[in-house]
Amino acid sequence: MKNNKIILCCLFLLILISGCSSKESPNSQESSADWAYPFVVWNEDVYEIQNEEVNRSEIEDEIGEVKHYSDYEGIYSNGFSNEYPVGTKLYKIKGIDTEVNIAIESEQGRYINAKNKGKYKGK
C-alpha cells in the first residue's frame, strides 16, 4: 500500500512538472510579439504608423525601404517593420523634417503618415 502511494505521488509530481514547461518557438530567441503599435524603423528612429493618408502631391524623395519584416520579438535594425512587407518604400514629406514624420507607401499610389517616436531601442 505504501509503495502505491509513493508511485502515485511520483506520477502526480511528474505530471505537474511537465504541465509547467513552456513550448519554445521555432527560433528559441524569438517569441510572438504583441506590439503596442504598428511601426517602421528608419535612420535609427522608430516611426509609429498613423491612420492618416498623405496626399501624393506632398511626397518628395524616396529615403529608404523596409528590409526586414517580422511579427516576432527580436533585435532588428534600420529598415525593420512589424506592419509592412519587405520592399515597402519610405518617403520624405514636403516641408516636414524626416526627424518628425515620414510617409510609407502602403499600396501603389497610397501613402500613410508615420510619426517619429524617438530612438529605436531594439538594439
Side-chain angles (χ1 to χ4, degrees):
M1 190 73 162
K2 187 176 182 179
N3 283 343
N4 287 344
K5 286 183 180 182
I6 292 173
I7 292 172
L8 189 59
C9 285
C10 288
L11 185 58
F12 176 75
L13 187 59
L14 182 62
I15 291 171
L16 182 66
I17 290 172
S18 66
C20 293
S21 68
S22 63
K23 293 182 180 180
E24 291 186 23
S25 62
N27 181 345
S28 62
Q29 303 251 343
E30 297 179 341
S31 63
S32 183
D34 184 15
W35 305 105
Y37 49 84
F39 65 88
V40 66
V41 177
W42 178 76
N43 204 26
E44 305 293 331
D45 288 341
V46 62
Y47 290 80
E48 180 180 0
I49 297 162
Q50 308 291 298
N51 276 339
E52 62 184 61
E53 267 191 64
V54 177
N55 191 306
R56 172 67 180 118
S57 65
E58 296 299 310
I59 299 300
E60 269 191 4
D61 302 325
E62 181 182 322
I63 56 174
E65 70 178 48
V66 174
K67 296 177 183 176
H68 311 281
Y69 164 82
S70 181
D71 61 352
Y72 286 96
E73 290 181 6
I75 298 173
Y76 303 101
S77 60
N78 277 330
F80 169 70
S81 180
N82 67 347
E83 180 76 9
Y84 289 102
V86 172
T88 300
K89 305 295 184 196
L90 311 175
Y91 294 88
K92 179 179 182 342
I93 302 170
K94 287 181 185 174
I96 299 177
D97 192 319
T98 56
E99 291 185 17
V100 177
N101 292 72
I102 63 173
I104 301 167
E105 187 172 23
S106 63
E107 54 189 63
Q108 189 68 30
R110 185 166 178 242
Y111 302 88
I112 302 296
N113 188 28
K115 182 178 182 173
N116 191 325
K117 301 294 276 184
K119 290 296 175 196
Y120 179 58
K121 295 178 175 80
K123 287 189 163 196

